Amino acid sequence: MLLSWRRWRKGRPFWGGLAAVLAGVEICALPLAPLKIMLQQGIAGIPSVLMGLVMIVMGLSAWFAPHYRGMAGVLTVLCAAAALVMSNLGGFLLGTVLGILGGSMIFAWQPAAPAESGAPTASGDPTASGDPENGTTPANGTAPETGTAPEAAAAAEAPAAPTPLEGDPR
């Protein structure tokens, strides 16, 4: 159970989503004060509730649909910045700071690259993925990079020798 939770959490921008949800809750909670205070606030409380709800939805979408992390991160930061002006200084600055931090963490998150192992591939050939240590090439035919940066730069600058075409008299 703990291992599956850890795997789920690492497969998405969890901490950014949590910060965005907390920021949204904080921005939403202030206008939802007791009714007497809410009536004094009037229509100004509506944008606060809407921005808080959008931030909560963007935090949850980062958890449950991590492929939308770019849009979720940008919208969270925009709502947090707008809340600074429209919602009690963005929940007394705490909501804005949490929202900007969470949105930026959501936007910056990248999925982990799959770990390479020496296990055989689908073709059954353990060298099909290419192993630079033993000089094998991957199945797509590209050669592994070897050499140092100056050698590679010199090789890139050298003109390639022309290959004779079929039917060429040379």
Side-chain angles (χ1 to χ4, degrees):
M1 170 81 176
L2 185 60
L3 185 61
S4 64
W5 162 252
R6 192 172 293 158
R7 190 177 311 122
W8 180 85
R9 188 188 56 167
K10 290 189 183 284
R12 58 206 72 249
F14 179 77
W15 296 111
L18 182 64
V21 168
L22 290 177
V25 166
E26 205 273 334
I27 288 173
C28 269
L30 290 177
L32 298 178
L35 184 60
K36 187 175 183 180
I37 297 172
M38 184 65 177
L39 289 176
Q40 290 174 354
Q41 191 175 18
I43 197 160
I46 294 173
S48 300
V49 173
L50 290 177
M51 284 185 289
L53 287 176
V54 167
M55 291 173 71
I56 291 170
V57 167
M58 291 300 109
L60 292 174
S61 73
W63 284 349
F64 298 109
H67 51 277
Y68 291 122
R69 68 186 179 277
M71 179 193 64
V74 170
L75 284 177
T76 301
V77 169
L78 288 176
C79 283
L84 185 64
V85 176
M86 300 175 76
S87 172
N88 300 323
L89 285 177
F92 302 118
L93 291 178
L94 182 64
T96 295
V97 169
L98 269 176
I100 290 174
L101 181 69
S104 60
M105 287 192 316
I106 291 170
F107 185 78
W109 179 82
Q110 293 291 321
E116 287 194 31
S117 64
T121 59
S123 65
D125 181 12
T127 62
S129 63
D131 184 8
E133 295 205 8
N134 65 9
T136 60
T137 59
N140 64 3
T142 59
E145 289 189 33
T146 58
T148 60
E151 292 171 355
E157 291 176 9
T163 58
L165 301 173
E166 289 186 30
D168 192 11
R170 288 190 255 169

